[in-house]
Amino acid sequence: MWHEIAPDQQHNVQVDGHNVVVYSFGAGDEVLLCLNGGPGLPCDYLRDAHGWLKDNGLRVVAFDQLGTGASARPTDASLWEISRYVEEVETVRQALDLGRVHLLGHSWGGWLGIEYAIHYPDALKSLILENTVGDIPHLSRELERLRGALGSETVAMMQRHEAMGTLDHPQYQAAITLLNYRHVCRLDEWPAPVTRSLGDWNMGPYETMQGPNEFLYVGNLKDWNRLPQMTDFRMPVLITTGQHDELTPACAMRMKMAVKHAELHVFPNSSHMPFYEEPQAYFPVLLDFLARHRG
């Protein structure tokens, strides 16, 4: 299954006057364009999990979104808008002359993938929505349910620190750490690409768009909901999630109900990263879907 390999090519693409670094594995017309989560994370964790798929006849492309990784890191908060990121994806696609692509979006990359599919449907052969949602207000309610499992006293403590703005308190951080191990990655030891990405997190885009952590959405995407627009999707759509995902199976089911022809797979032993937690189940599903929608 997955293993880290060096990209075959590295490209520099100018986006909004800034440099964006793009990584490419393999060659050919069947392009899997990967949009990683965050916002504010380098693409290492998603790129290194999927780069080996070049051995299956795919060209795999991923990039450090503006503000992350090896790309430029401007500090202008007005850049951290989903509409600007949509145009960034399109700029990368055109600059590398990728043609019509299979677009894979994980987590925040899934929100971006949905938004891109609304604006550029003809650029897509298929859309793969991994561990993501189409309705963030619904997600916020699901996250309250998940942290409710910590117990009423712990939730009250978290709400008190959120109200006071003391999110760096050890009590609060301990609760977030437990939630992360339950609902982000359930492996005892997180893979090196994951720790690399998390260790280089740019909190500027993250806090502007999402919020201070994975379980509190207060940024400019807090009211984002594209389920009504998703009913118009005509491209093949694959939705995947983990049974224990922070972006819950209930969120995935709402997307499935919006996109009637979509396929939905729930991996029973995974949370937010089935490509690391359950690769023996995840990759056959992905490869089967891609094989059926080539051309």
Side-chain angles (χ1 to χ4, degrees), residues 92-160:
V92 168
R93 187 185 71 88
Q94 291 195 20
L96 272 64
D97 195 22
L98 298 179
R100 294 174 65 237
V101 302
H102 302 281
L103 189 66
L104 185 157
H106 176 257
S107 196
W108 136 254
W111 313 338
L112 178 54
I114 291 168
E115 199 76 23
Y116 182 88
I118 291 169
H119 289 87
Y120 294 101
D122 294 338
L124 301 184
K125 291 182 179 180
S126 71
L127 178 63
I128 301 144
L129 300 174
E130 297 191 340
N131 308 89
T132 193
V133 305
D135 178 353
I136 289 180
H138 174 251
L139 168 62
S140 293
R141 296 192 294 274
E142 283 291 278
L143 292 172
E144 281 299 309
R145 179 178 63 81
L146 292 182
R147 75 174 185 175
L150 297 178
S152 59
E153 289 189 8
T154 299
V155 171
M157 174 273 292
M158 296 180 74
Q159 291 171 337
R160 172 168 58 85

Side-chain angles (χ1 to χ4, degrees), residues 268-284:
N269 298 310
S270 295
S271 57
H272 197 51
M273 297 188 183
F275 35 86
Y276 289 118
E277 297 169 284
E278 213 170 346
Q280 73 285 353
Y282 163 81
F283 283 110

Side-chain angles (χ1 to χ4, degrees), residues 238 240 263 265 267 280-290 292:
L238 171 65
T240 68
E263 302 175 29
H265 289 265
F267 299 106
Q280 73 285 353
Y282 163 81
F283 283 110
V285 169
L286 175 61
L287 287 169
D288 173 69
F289 176 81
L290 292 171
R292 287 185 281 116

Side-chain angles (χ1 to χ4, degrees), residues 29 38 48 67 74 114 144 147 180 201-202 215 228 230:
D29 296 330
D48 293 347
I114 291 168
E144 281 299 309
R147 75 174 185 175
N180 284 340
W201 204 328
N202 182 351
F215 298 88
M230 292 176 72

Side-chain angles (χ1 to χ4, degrees), residues 1 9 77 99 115 133 168 197 210 215 224 237:
M1 292 297 173
Q9 295 176 305
E115 199 76 23
V133 305
D168 58 348
S197 285
Q210 180 167 319
F215 298 88
W224 184 85
V237 177

Side-chain angles (χ1 to χ4, degrees), residues 11 19 26 32 41 47 55 75 113 144 153 158 167-168 203 208-209 222 235 245:
H11 308 268
N19 189 58
L32 182 66
L41 281 180
R47 175 194 70 201
D55 296 337
T75 56
E144 281 299 309
E153 289 189 8
M158 296 180 74
L167 303 188
D168 58 348
M203 295 302 289
T208 299
M209 301 179 74
K222 68 181 185 300
M235 74 289 291
D245 196 351

